[in-house]
Amino acid sequence: PPATAQLKTVKLDNTKIVAGQTVYVPIYATIYMWDQNRSIDLTATLSVRNTDQTQPMIIAAVNYFDSNGKRVRQYLDQPVELGPMSATSFVVNQEDRSGGAEAAFVLEWVAPTAVSPPVIESIMINTSGNQGISFVSPGRVIKS
């Protein structure tokens, strides 16, 4: 089951929002080897970590966009609460090519009280045979 399955859904009350950001996170679902005719597909995980030790945050939206900027998938039907020091993830399977080589997640989070900023990053990985590749891409705030 998805990592968000254990998270509590919440209703957003915009009058009580005091903090929040929209975060862009690059995803490299396919990378090229040797030349553009040889590529390797990767599993991508969006990791969201609430770094606040006492306050929850709310993940309001998680959307996956393809290389052309078209939304491919909406991961949440309703906002979910991420408790203090908690983490969750959203996965794009290795065989899922819907995003193209230069896909992206756009995540919106909010909080009813001041909180420390979350850590939001993507992890891409592929292991086959006796070799593997993995790397991390940090999220970038595009709106506060």
Side-chain angles (χ1 to χ4, degrees):
T4 55
Q6 78 277 6
L7 298 178
K8 179 174 81 172
T9 60
V10 294
K11 297 258 189 241
L12 279 184
D13 181 351
N14 290 331
T15 62
K16 295 182 180 176
I17 301 301
V18 301
Q21 295 175 323
T22 301
V23 181
Y24 176 93
V25 189
I27 298 295
Y28 302 93
T30 300
I31 55 173
Y32 299 99
M33 307 178 315
W34 294 287
D35 61 41
Q36 65 184 13
N37 297 318
R38 294 192 63 184
S39 62
I40 185 169
D41 294 328
L42 305 171
T43 297
T45 302
L46 175 68
S47 175
V48 184
R49 298 167 182 265
N50 181 358
T51 64
D52 201 281
Q53 295 183 14
T54 61
Q55 299 299 317
M57 63 178 270
I58 296 166
I59 302 172
V62 177
N63 292 300
Y64 184 57
F65 290 85
D66 69 14
S67 299
N68 296 314
K70 179 182 172 226
R71 185 171 75 177
V72 174
R73 188 173 304 118
Q74 174 182 320
Y75 277 82
L76 296 177
D77 293 326
Q78 298 177 61
V80 293
E81 183 178 89
L82 192 58
M85 300 302 292
S86 295
T88 194
S89 59
F90 304 87
V91 176
V92 178
N93 294 332
Q94 182 173 308
E95 54 280 344
D96 181 348
R97 295 183 172 183
S98 63
E102 289 86 22
F105 277 105
V106 175
L107 178 138
E108 296 175 32
W109 70 269
V110 295
T113 59
V115 294
S116 58
V119 171
I120 302 171
E121 56 194 1
S122 60
I123 303 94
M124 278 71 55
I125 187 168
N126 178 309
T127 58
S128 59
N130 60 357
Q131 80 180 87
I133 182 170
S134 65
F135 55 97
V136 175
S137 183
R140 291 155 179 87
V141 176
I142 57 174
K143 184 178 174 186
S144 290

